[in-house]
Amino acid sequence: GWATGKKRSDTLQELIWMEISIPAIARQLRVQYPLSTTVGQIKNYLKTQFAEEMSTLYALYAYELCHLQSVTNGGDDVWLLYPDSNLYSYGIKNNDVLEFAMDEEQVQERKPIELEGYLQKEGQRGPLKLWRHRWFSTQDNRLLYYHSETTTDPVGFIPLTQIVNIQSSTNISHTSNPSIFEIKTTQRVYYLMAECEEDKETWIAGLTNSMNYWKSNSVQWTQQWKEGFLHKRGGIRHNWTKRWFMLRDEFLFYYEAKDGSHYLRGKIPLYGVTTEIVDRKRSSSSGPQDYFFNIVTSGRVYQMAAGSEEERQAWVRAIQNQGQLFSSRIDAITAQ
């Protein structure tokens, strides 16, 4: 043992130096602690010391200390260190290396189960308020709805982070049907009808769980989804229209945002796509903003305008990167 000739109490007070790496915020520090120090005490120190930098990290609750490299094993193994145990119990040696990083298993355990199935949705447009059969599916921070289970393009979506409440319908015209429930967002109320009351309760419980999860982990969906308003110039009338754009997999979808709803208006294929910054002086348009760029596909050039130079650069990078990723994936498949 490494406490030969010493009392255990004396050994616990021995000071050792450690290297701690925090890749998520690009930090590397050297600290000294007695061996009696618990892993949890070190975690609390890191969270306090770098509170501002860590405030934007997704799922900080899942960050743990790992024994990344030991002077005794050459770094062949990585051990998760539990908060209640001290450094002595893990055999941490002088100049060992630890890492503070996300334990992805914790995140997967807490992430809500994705829901899918048919519901009827009450229309908002027109005086009749017709009910339409739609396929609903929760994907990350969105409740998407499609014409049917077999279609791939969502005709609309409800942002889970904008939901205020989910409950059985309070609309007096629905009192005779216990299968109807309502989703109240910051801008409107959606009325949905399940097959039966039991299914309704399942949807309410599942959506409430998803809503709470994404509201408390809002940083993740901003990282996973590139979306936001852009102006797009029409291909026929050449007028500029404000649309909500959402970058997903092989397409850049764009929606009409109206009365708190998002209605699909089209999609731009990303295979082989390129982008280019358009200088104001080069632009032949009299568009509403100065920050123009083009999305060039094999069939068309889409003229776009962002709200700032920062937004323009972010969109150009995201579209170009996703286009290259998708194109390389397709090319690899066709080459087989």
Side-chain angles (χ1 to χ4, degrees):
W2 68 298
T4 304
K6 292 184 181 180
K7 293 181 180 179
R8 185 174 184 274
S9 59
D10 294 336
T11 302
L12 288 173
Q13 299 309 311
E14 183 175 335
L15 294 171
I16 63 167
W17 286 97
M18 298 177 297
E19 302 285 342
I20 299 181
S21 171
I22 314 176
I25 59 173
R27 286 283 189 173
Q28 184 90 20
L29 60 153
R30 184 171 172 81
V31 295
Q32 189 181 43
Y33 281 103
L35 288 170
S36 60
T37 307
T38 66
V39 173
Q41 288 173 321
I42 300 176
K43 283 178 55 179
N44 291 337
Y45 165 77
L46 296 175
K47 289 182 178 181
T48 302
Q49 184 72 13
F50 303 106
E52 184 175 351
E53 293 170 78
M54 291 186 181
S55 63
T56 59
L57 294 181
Y58 160 64
L60 185 57
Y61 66 83
Y63 275 65
E64 302 289 355
L65 274 168
C66 300
H67 196 184
L68 189 65
Q69 181 177 349
S70 174
V71 294
T72 59
N73 67 14
D76 293 333
D77 298 309
V78 177
W79 299 94
L80 181 66
L81 307 180
Y82 292 96
D84 294 335
S85 300
N86 60 29
L87 299 177
Y88 173 84
S89 66
Y90 281 114
I92 306 296
K93 307 292 191 295
N94 204 40
N95 296 319
D96 277 4
V97 179
L98 307 183
E99 182 177 87
F100 189 55
M102 185 193 298
D103 177 12
E104 294 185 359
E105 288 188 6
Q106 290 190 41
V107 178
Q108 293 302 321
E109 288 172 0
R110 291 182 54 161
K111 194 171 182 179
I113 298 173
E114 292 190 348
L115 304 169
E116 61 180 18
Y118 279 106
L119 293 169
Q120 292 193 55
K121 174 179 173 292
E122 187 179 53
Q124 188 183 38
R125 297 181 177 182
L128 297 180
K129 306 291 185 183
L130 298 175
W131 290 89
R132 290 183 171 85
H133 213 49
R134 295 286 183 255
W135 176 262
F136 282 79
S137 172
T138 56
Q139 296 179 26
D140 292 333
N141 68 317
R142 293 288 187 259
L143 175 59
L144 305 172
Y145 51 94
Y146 303 77
H147 282 301
S148 70
E149 183 181 0
T150 57
T151 55
T152 58
D153 297 341
V155 295
F157 64 87
I158 302 172
L160 296 176
T161 53
Q162 293 181 14
I163 294 177
V164 177
N165 191 32
I166 308 169
Q167 62 183 6
S168 296
S169 177
T170 58
N171 191 318
I172 193 171
S173 64
H174 299 154
T175 53
S176 61
N177 191 332
S179 301
I180 300 176
F181 64 100
E182 63 185 35
I183 299 177
K184 183 179 180 181
T185 71
T186 53
Q187 294 182 293
R188 65 165 285 191
V189 178
Y190 295 83
Y191 294 106
L192 304 174
M193 186 193 307
E195 290 292 326
C196 61
E197 190 171 3
E198 183 180 357
D199 285 353
K200 178 198 70 174
E201 296 299 333
T202 300
W203 276 100
I204 290 176
L207 289 173
T208 299
N209 186 35
S210 295
M211 173 191 71
N212 292 334
Y213 174 84
W214 287 108
K215 282 187 175 182
S216 61
N217 296 281
S218 58
V219 173
Q220 186 189 20
W221 68 261
T222 60
Q223 295 171 343
Q224 289 189 344
W225 298 63
K226 179 61 183 170
E227 59 183 321
F229 281 111
L230 291 170
H231 278 83
K232 172 184 167 293
R233 197 179 190 199
I236 299 176
R237 297 173 57 190
H238 302 298
N239 59 316
W240 287 89
T241 307
K242 191 175 183 180
R243 295 288 187 233
W244 182 266
F245 283 79
M246 188 164 62
L247 186 62
R248 288 295 309 275
D249 300 325
E250 68 267 36
F251 292 104
L252 175 63
F253 295 95
Y254 53 95
Y255 296 81
E256 176 188 3
K258 185 176 181 181
D259 301 325
S261 299
H262 296 79
Y263 305 97
L264 182 66
R265 288 294 173 258
K267 60 182 182 180
I268 300 173
L270 296 178
Y271 180 76
V273 73
T274 59
T275 56
E276 59 180 13
I277 299 292
V278 179
D279 209 5
R280 176 69 175 178
K281 295 178 182 178
R282 289 172 48 217
S283 176
S284 60
S285 72
S286 56
Q289 300 165 71
D290 297 329
Y291 306 100
F292 297 96
F293 65 96
N294 289 340
I295 301 174
V296 183
T297 71
S298 59
R300 176 181 167 185
V301 176
Y302 295 84
Q303 299 181 54
M304 318 293 293
S308 67
E309 178 61 24
E310 183 180 4
E311 287 183 19
R312 174 168 69 173
Q313 293 293 342
W315 274 106
V316 166
R317 283 195 303 269
I319 294 169
Q320 195 70 49
N321 291 342
Q322 183 62 29
Q324 291 174 353
L325 179 66
F326 176 66
S327 299
S328 61
R329 194 162 64 230
I330 295 299
D331 290 343
I333 294 173
T334 55
Q336 293 178 357

